[in-house]
Amino acid sequence: MADAHARELEGREHKQILDHRDRFSEISYGIMQAWVGFLIVLTLGQFILRPSGLGLETAEFIAVVTTTTAAVFGFGLLVGNFLFPSGGSERRRK
């Protein structure tokens, strides 16, 4: 009886963890899409505004694109490590 109750609780906990992972992955995917969208808008804006002298200087543009790209990859790495830890769910319980 106690084993069945423990398995039921573990099953509920597992479902709750999966639900939270889904929600967290959707939110982080949206943030990453916004970052990539910003890069696309910035690049297009640079092409449009640069001939009239209103765009960013070359060094500024490279700095923004580089740091934003590093932030996107770093954020993706952090999210991936959180959603899929190398030790599985057992590591997170400790």
Side-chain angles (χ1 to χ4, degrees):
M1 178 86 170
D3 286 339
H5 184 65
R7 280 194 304 272
E8 179 185 340
L9 287 177
E10 187 174 312
R12 277 193 235 160
E13 180 186 14
H14 182 69
K15 183 181 178 339
Q16 188 178 32
I17 288 171
L18 291 177
D19 289 343
H20 285 292
R21 283 183 180 176
D22 284 344
R23 195 176 109 234
F24 187 74
S25 65
E26 288 174 8
I27 291 169
S28 55
Y29 182 67
I31 290 170
M32 291 179 75
Q33 282 182 323
W35 255 328
V36 171
F38 168 74
L39 284 175
I40 291 170
V41 169
L42 180 70
T43 304
L44 291 175
Q46 192 67 6
F47 281 123
I48 294 168
L49 296 175
R50 190 67 182 137
S52 63
L54 296 174
L56 296 172
E57 295 294 326
T58 303
E60 294 168 341
F61 179 72
I62 290 171
V64 170
V65 169
T66 303
T67 56
T68 305
T69 303
V72 168
F73 284 125
F75 183 72
L77 182 65
L78 288 174
V79 168
N81 282 336
F82 175 76
L83 292 176
F84 307 104
S86 60
S89 297
E90 293 297 321
R91 183 178 131 215
R92 203 174 290 160
R93 289 185 188 143
K94 293 180 182 177

